[in-house]
């Protein structure tokens, strides 16, 4: 018996193509909110980091009612670094809404998420979003998407996809560009008509794959997944199929989604997406089964990490002044706790008890983890990101990214030249909107580390760049990285205007007056290639002589503000980023100036 009253669908797209905004519109128009209810924009982006950055980081579930049919919707991240979130939730759904920007067209992550959904034989519905955007060309984008489907080897049924034209921000959608529309009814109707009910057996023994993990302070770990077979009830005794063992457990509560709320139910049937609490040590990829029929479901293969960083205990002079959690035990516990829900992450202990090698899908993936830990009160040191090199058929291979840049025409030569030095290979070039060009490259992941800031400068802040892991290819040789040295504090103390005024002639400063510094701390970027030790705590000595104009206020150039991402991109192999809840500092690995000079001579 199949549950005809349910549809399970995931919304997938490239970053910033409007996934979370369309979920907002669907929730509003399904009557989830009261007429007078105040609801914030991008309501599904629930944590602070998501709201600040304007991107979705974690996959989340919601559900709407359309008539007597319940539509479970999974909102997924669009950034390639959080691809692991998308891969695992695709196991919960029977179809996907593929959102494509009517202006930008198919982008790297569009290809990646579509490839994975086609491989799982999910039914696609294409939504061309932002049709009201200036310069939008929906019909051209539909052709691009069709080409992408053919290129990815879609079967005849998948190629026969319905197309919806929408403006999620305005809350309108239509099947024909020439139609008038004032709502998104056609989205609901297309989902119900084209996406089949879950092919799950209500009458068999219970079985559910855990695709996500939530946490509650009161009930502990919560398993999220779709019931594949049978009925799951409150208080039911079950078997849990782990990697190498089968354990028995008892379900405390069963909840289903209704809009943004979770509703406790006594039982849930096959096909529905549910939350189950009461199983303390449950993990993603494990199967909850009938007590007498433990039968494991295969979990989706998650792409391997491509970048690693070393997280270590802060051993600088200011250690412990700003953070609550500073020991290796605290950092170790937090990293291994993150592994339970972040399936794309890997953590490895090193020869040093104070350091851990953390591997992820990209710089953003790891920097979001660092920023989360910082806000929780952790204090730590992080190293420069390194790509993970593999040996394939006896040959040294490195990860290659597919990079798409959209830049003003007058900057394109500079961008191509810089990327060429970083071993990029151009594979496509076409005009974008008026005055802009879209270029596609294949580039070693190493070549992108530290390039984003340079790219924004070269394109006067008007360029956009997006990349996604493509494949492993033979090692491409040395890549040019930062060409300028740093300005390093010569002694500990408080930065003084006079000392900074003398230092700013040598390059660009990262700090202003009144900032506490220590020996070996990086305070600026030298205009030359070598590092320079400067005393920024130097005060002006008073004398009895006075001269006209000499005592005028010293004018300092405003310092460059280093965000966490900028700092991680900036540092070299002999440097570290010191992260605390209040401050982000750059420093040398060897703090003592004499020791550092000695090490450089070796």
């Amino acid at each position: 018996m199949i549950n005809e009253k349910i549809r399970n669908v995931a919304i997938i797209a490239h970053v910033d193509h409007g996934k979370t905004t369309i979920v907002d519109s669907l929730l509003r128009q399904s009557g989830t909110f009261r007429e007078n209810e105040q609801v914030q924009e991008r309501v599904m982006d629930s944590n602070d980091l998501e709201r600040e950055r304007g991107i979705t980081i974690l996959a989340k579930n919601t559900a709407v009612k359309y008539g007597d049919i319940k539509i479970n919707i999974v909102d997924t991240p669009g950034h390639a670094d959080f691809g692991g979130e998308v891969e695992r939730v695709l196991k919960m759904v029977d179809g996907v809404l593929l959102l494509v920007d009517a202006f930008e067209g198919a982008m790297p992550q569009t290809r990646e998420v579509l490839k994975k959904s086609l491989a799982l034989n999910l039914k696609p519905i294409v939504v061309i979003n932002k049709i009201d955007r200036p310069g939008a060309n929906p019909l051209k984008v539909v052709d691009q998407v069709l080409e992408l489907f053919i290129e990815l080897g879609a079967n005849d049924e998948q190629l026969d996809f319905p197309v919806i034209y929408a403006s999620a921000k305005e809350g309108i959608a239509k099947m024909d560009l020439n139609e008038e529309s004032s709502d998104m009814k056609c989205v609901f109707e297309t989902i119900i008509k084209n996406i089949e009910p879950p092919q799950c057996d209500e009458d068999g023994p219970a079985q559910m794959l855990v695709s996500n993990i939530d946490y509650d302070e009161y009930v502990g770990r919560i398993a999220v997944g779709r019931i594949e077979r049978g009925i799951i009830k409150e208080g039911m005794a079950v078997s849990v199929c782990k990697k190498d063992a089968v354990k028995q457990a008892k379900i405390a509560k069963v909840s289903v989604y209704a809009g943004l709320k979770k509703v406790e139910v006594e039982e849930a049937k096959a096909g529905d997406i549910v939350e189950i609490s009461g199983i303390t040590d449950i993990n993603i990829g494990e199967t909850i089964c009938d007590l007498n029929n433990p039968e494991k479901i295969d979990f989706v293969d998650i792409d391997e990490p491509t970048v690693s960083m070393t997280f270590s205990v802060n051993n600088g002079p200011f250690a412990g002044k700003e953070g609550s959690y500073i020991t290796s035990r605290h950092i170790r516990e937090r990293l291994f706790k993150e592994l339970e829900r972040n399936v794309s992450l890997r953590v490895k202990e090193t020869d040093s008890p104070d350091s851990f090698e953390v591997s992820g899908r990209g710089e953003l993936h790891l920097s979001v983890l660092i920023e989360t830990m910082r806000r929780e009160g952790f204090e730590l040191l992080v190293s420069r990101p390194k790509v993970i090199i593999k040996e394939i058929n006896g040959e040294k291979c490195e990860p290659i990214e597919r990079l798409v840049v959209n830049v003003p025409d007058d900057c394109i030569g500079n961008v191509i030249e810089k990327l060429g030095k970083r071993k990029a290979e151009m594979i496509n070039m076409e005009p974008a909107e008026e005055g802009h060009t879209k270029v596609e490259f294949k580039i070693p992941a190493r070549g992108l580390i530290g390039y984003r800031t340079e790219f924004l400068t070269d394109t006067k802040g008007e360029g956009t760049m997006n990349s996604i892991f493509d494949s492993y290819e033979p090692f491409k040789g040395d890549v040019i990285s930062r060409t300028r040295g740093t300005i390093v504090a010569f002694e500990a103390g408080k930065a003084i205007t006079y000392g900074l005024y003398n230092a700013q002639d040598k390059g660009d400063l990262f700090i202003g007056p009144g900032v506490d510094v220590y020996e070996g701390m990086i305070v600026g970027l030298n205009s030359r290639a070598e590092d320079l030790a400067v005393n920024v705590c130097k005060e002006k000595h008073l004398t009895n002589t006075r001269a006209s104009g000499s005592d005028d206020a010293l004018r300092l150039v405003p310092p460059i503000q280093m965000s966490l991402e900028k700092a991680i991109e900036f540092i070299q192999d002999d440097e570290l980023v010191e992260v605390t809840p209040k401050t982000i500092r750059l420093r040398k690995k060897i703090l003592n100036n004499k020791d550092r000079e000695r090490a450089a001579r070796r």
Side-chain angles (χ1 to χ4, degrees):
M1 187 176 160
I2 290 168
N3 198 339
E4 295 281 352
K5 299 292 184 187
I6 287 179
R7 301 291 186 276
N8 296 325
V9 63
I11 299 189
I12 59 173
H14 186 77
V15 66
D16 204 27
H17 279 197
K19 294 179 300 301
T20 308
T21 311
I22 205 167
V23 174
D24 274 8
S25 295
L26 294 174
L27 285 167
R28 281 193 173 88
Q29 295 187 25
S30 64
T32 301
F33 308 129
R34 296 189 314 273
E35 285 288 324
N36 61 345
E37 191 171 345
Q38 292 292 311
V39 183
Q40 61 187 7
E41 268 189 52
R42 301 197 325 275
V43 70
M44 294 293 281
D45 283 347
S46 50
N47 75 40
D48 292 342
L49 268 178
E50 290 180 319
R51 302 203 69 77
E52 284 169 27
R53 292 166 185 250
I55 58 171
T56 303
I57 294 170
L58 302 170
K60 299 177 204 68
N61 297 64
T62 185
V64 298
K65 276 281 215 179
Y66 190 75
D68 61 346
I69 291 180
K70 179 183 183 182
I71 303 172
N72 283 312
I73 301 171
V74 186
D75 183 24
T76 64
H79 202 285
D81 283 21
F82 308 111
E85 292 281 323
V86 185
E87 286 159 21
R88 67 165 187 252
V89 299
L90 289 178
K91 289 284 275 186
M92 290 197 283
V93 298
D94 304 289
V96 293
L97 247 64
L98 176 71
L99 252 72
V100 187
D101 191 306
F103 174 74
E104 290 185 350
M107 296 291 276
Q109 182 69 356
T110 314
R111 162 190 288 274
E112 195 60 25
V113 290
L114 178 60
K115 185 166 91 180
K116 292 187 187 301
S117 60
L118 292 177
L120 289 167
N121 208 25
L122 300 176
K123 195 80 187 285
I125 296 170
V126 174
V127 180
I128 308 297
N129 192 26
K130 305 189 187 182
I131 54 171
D132 53 346
R133 183 176 170 178
N137 192 341
L139 298 175
K140 180 187 171 188
V141 171
V142 172
D143 290 342
Q144 277 183 12
V145 173
L146 183 61
E147 283 172 23
L148 186 58
F149 269 80
I150 294 165
E151 196 182 317
L152 294 174
N155 60 38
D156 291 347
E157 194 184 351
Q158 289 168 329
L159 281 170
D160 188 23
F161 55 82
V163 179
I164 300 170
Y165 301 96
S167 169
K169 201 173 179 184
E170 298 299 322
I172 59 165
K174 46 196 172 183
M175 304 302 290
D176 188 321
L177 275 172
N178 301 316
E179 284 177 10
E180 286 297 316
S181 174
S182 58
D183 55 38
M184 302 198 87
K185 268 186 188 170
C186 66
V187 178
F188 295 114
E189 287 163 2
T190 308
I191 289 171
I192 292 165
K193 181 183 169 187
N194 289 274
I195 292 174
E196 293 177 1
Q199 303 296 304
C200 300
D201 177 15
E202 274 188 29
D203 305 320
Q207 189 187 42
M208 175 186 133
L209 175 69
V210 179
S211 298
N212 209 344
I213 291 287
D214 206 347
Y215 186 81
D216 185 277
E217 286 181 17
Y218 300 103
V219 299
R221 294 172 74 72
I222 298 168
V224 182
R226 181 176 74 173
I227 304 172
E228 296 296 330
R229 198 172 61 203
I231 295 173
I232 286 183
K233 299 178 182 178
E234 192 179 297
M236 179 177 171
V238 291
S239 294
V240 180
C241 298
K242 296 186 169 290
K243 268 186 185 174
D244 44 15
V246 176
K247 291 189 175 180
Q248 291 188 0
K250 189 177 179 183
I251 292 169
K253 290 178 182 174
V254 180
S255 303
V256 295
Y257 294 94
L260 299 176
K261 300 182 180 76
K262 295 162 192 172
V263 181
E264 277 185 39
V265 291
E266 286 184 10
E267 63 175 45
K269 296 178 181 178
D272 209 351
I273 294 174
V274 298
E275 285 194 352
I276 290 174
S277 59
I279 307 173
T280 51
D281 58 347
I282 192 76
N283 281 309
I284 289 167
E286 294 175 355
T287 311
I288 298 170
C289 314
D290 181 79
L291 189 64
N292 303 315
N293 293 277
E295 193 182 330
K296 192 170 170 58
I297 301 173
D298 291 332
F299 191 47
V300 65
D301 289 332
I302 302 290
D303 285 350
E304 289 296 307
T306 56
V307 171
S308 72
M309 290 168 74
T310 303
F311 289 30
S312 50
V313 172
N314 185 8
N315 58 8
F318 297 164
K321 287 188 176 180
E322 296 172 356
S324 308
Y325 307 110
I326 55 173
T327 65
S328 59
R329 179 177 62 84
H330 285 132
I331 294 169
R332 184 184 185 282
E333 277 178 11
R334 178 64 183 82
L335 290 174
F336 279 94
K337 185 182 173 189
E338 185 69 20
L339 283 180
E340 293 173 358
R341 62 174 300 159
N342 199 334
V343 291
S344 307
L345 201 73
R346 303 283 182 275
V347 178
K348 198 163 80 180
E349 299 193 54
T350 63
D351 298 337
S352 163
D354 292 342
S355 298
F356 305 90
E357 189 182 303
V358 183
S359 306
R361 295 278 277 266
E363 287 171 75
L364 183 63
H365 185 201
L366 296 176
S367 70
V368 164
L369 170 61
I370 297 164
E371 180 63 32
T372 307
M373 289 175 68
R374 180 171 99 90
R375 293 181 183 206
E376 289 170 2
F378 283 85
E379 204 172 286
L380 66 157
L381 296 174
V382 296
S383 71
R384 174 179 166 83
K386 289 181 179 173
V387 300
I388 297 169
I389 305 291
K390 283 185 179 178
E391 195 168 298
I392 302 170
N393 300 327
E395 193 170 8
K396 184 180 174 186
C397 294
E398 65 175 327
I400 303 293
E401 301 265 327
R402 185 180 284 261
L403 170 71
V404 175
V405 299
N406 186 324
V407 295
D409 292 344
D410 57 342
C411 307
I412 192 70
N414 202 5
V415 170
I416 291 171
E417 184 190 344
K418 291 269 181 79
L419 286 169
K421 288 177 181 174
R422 291 168 174 266
K423 307 290 182 189
E425 175 193 332
M426 192 196 299
I427 53 177
N428 189 28
M429 186 174 184
E430 59 183 54
E433 72 269 31
E434 194 178 333
H436 282 65
T437 303
K438 182 175 166 184
V439 194
E440 203 170 335
F441 297 91
K442 283 175 88 172
I443 181 170
R446 289 177 300 136
L448 285 175
I449 295 172
Y451 176 64
R452 193 171 293 273
T453 311
E454 208 176 310
F455 172 78
L456 288 173
T457 307
D458 290 344
T459 59
K460 307 180 188 76
E462 291 182 38
T464 59
M465 60 183 278
N466 293 285
S467 66
I468 190 163
F469 170 73
D470 185 74
S471 59
Y472 268 86
E473 289 184 12
F475 194 74
K476 305 286 182 187
D478 293 335
V479 168
I480 292 175
S481 54
R482 197 179 77 208
T483 53
R484 292 165 67 182
T486 54
I487 300 172
V488 184
F490 185 72
E491 62 178 39
K494 206 177 275 288
I496 304 289
T497 303
Y498 183 72
L500 291 169
Y501 182 74
N502 291 327
Q504 75 178 7
D505 294 338
K506 310 288 190 291
D508 306 313
L509 294 177
F510 298 154
I511 63 164
V515 174
D516 290 317
V517 298
Y518 52 79
E519 183 184 5
M521 181 171 150
I522 297 169
V523 296
L525 180 63
N526 193 4
S527 54
R528 300 190 178 184
E530 67 274 0
D531 292 336
L532 179 69
V534 171
N535 185 3
V536 290
C537 307
K538 186 179 180 183
E539 296 188 45
K540 184 178 181 184
H541 294 294
L542 297 175
T543 64
N544 290 327
T545 52
R546 294 284 181 272
S548 173
S550 66
D551 290 329
D552 285 355
L554 301 173
R555 286 189 174 85
L556 291 177
V557 176
I560 296 169
Q561 299 295 324
M562 294 297 269
S563 65
L564 180 62
E565 272 89 6
K566 268 190 186 175
I568 289 169
E569 280 190 352
F570 174 83
I571 57 171
Q572 298 287 33
D573 292 337
D574 65 332
E575 297 161 356
L576 297 167
V577 181
E578 180 182 333
V579 181
T580 77
K582 295 179 183 174
T583 322
I584 292 164
R585 302 183 185 95
L586 303 177
R587 52 161 279 186
K588 290 288 184 183
K589 275 185 183 173
I590 303 170
L591 294 177
N592 185 278
N593 291 308
K594 291 276 187 290
D595 292 348
R596 203 165 55 250
E597 285 170 15
R598 226 172 273 130
R601 283 198 296 270
R602 279 187 201 134

